[in-house]
């Protein structure tokens, strides 16, 4: 258990950061889910806009330190590949 003031403050700070990071992670998941739903519906135009939003949200999570840089890049790459596959199927 934390016995000194510095350790107690660190616990408070960690709790605050955890809440913020949970919200950010949830936001990323929401945007990715919207993209995947548009993909499943086969709507290329909606999927394209959803992709742009999901990509910017993922990269924002990377800059905020919620997601590692390579993880963000990998997820964006997979989303882009899925979008490209949808475009190829539509053409």
């Amino acid at each position: 258990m934390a016995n000194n003031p510095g350790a107690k403050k660190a616990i408070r700070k960690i709790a605050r950061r955890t809440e913020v990071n949970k919200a950010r992670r949830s936001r990323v998941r929401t945007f990715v889910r919207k993209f995947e739903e548009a993909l499943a519906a086969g709507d290329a135009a909606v999927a394209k806009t959803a992709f742009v939003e999901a990509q910017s949200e993922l990269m924002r999570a990377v800059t905020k330190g919620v997601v590692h840089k390579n993880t963000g890049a990998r997820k964006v790459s997979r989303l882009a590949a899925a979008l490209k596959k949808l475009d190829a199927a539509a053409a």
Side-chain angles (χ1 to χ4, degrees):
M1 188 63 209
N3 267 341
N4 59 344
K8 288 179 180 176
K9 181 178 179 179
I11 288 171
R12 291 193 305 271
K13 284 170 62 176
I14 289 166
R16 280 197 300 270
R17 295 306 319 157
T18 300
E19 286 305 308
V20 170
N21 289 341
K22 273 185 189 174
R24 284 207 178 103
R25 204 172 302 118
S26 171
R27 197 170 150 82
V28 167
R29 288 192 193 112
T30 300
F31 279 97
V32 170
R33 191 190 72 243
K34 284 180 183 175
F35 171 74
E36 287 170 348
E37 286 170 357
L39 212 60
D43 194 340
V46 174
K48 176 70 176 151
T49 58
F51 169 74
V52 171
E53 290 172 346
Q55 180 183 22
S56 71
E57 202 58 44
L58 268 162
M59 289 299 107
R60 185 174 295 121
V62 167
T63 59
K64 299 296 184 183
V66 179
V67 178
H68 190 274
K69 190 168 99 172
N70 291 350
T71 304
R74 182 181 69 243
K75 287 180 185 283
V76 168
S77 173
R78 288 179 181 168
L79 294 178
L83 182 65
K84 189 175 179 183
K85 191 175 176 183
L86 177 71
D87 285 342

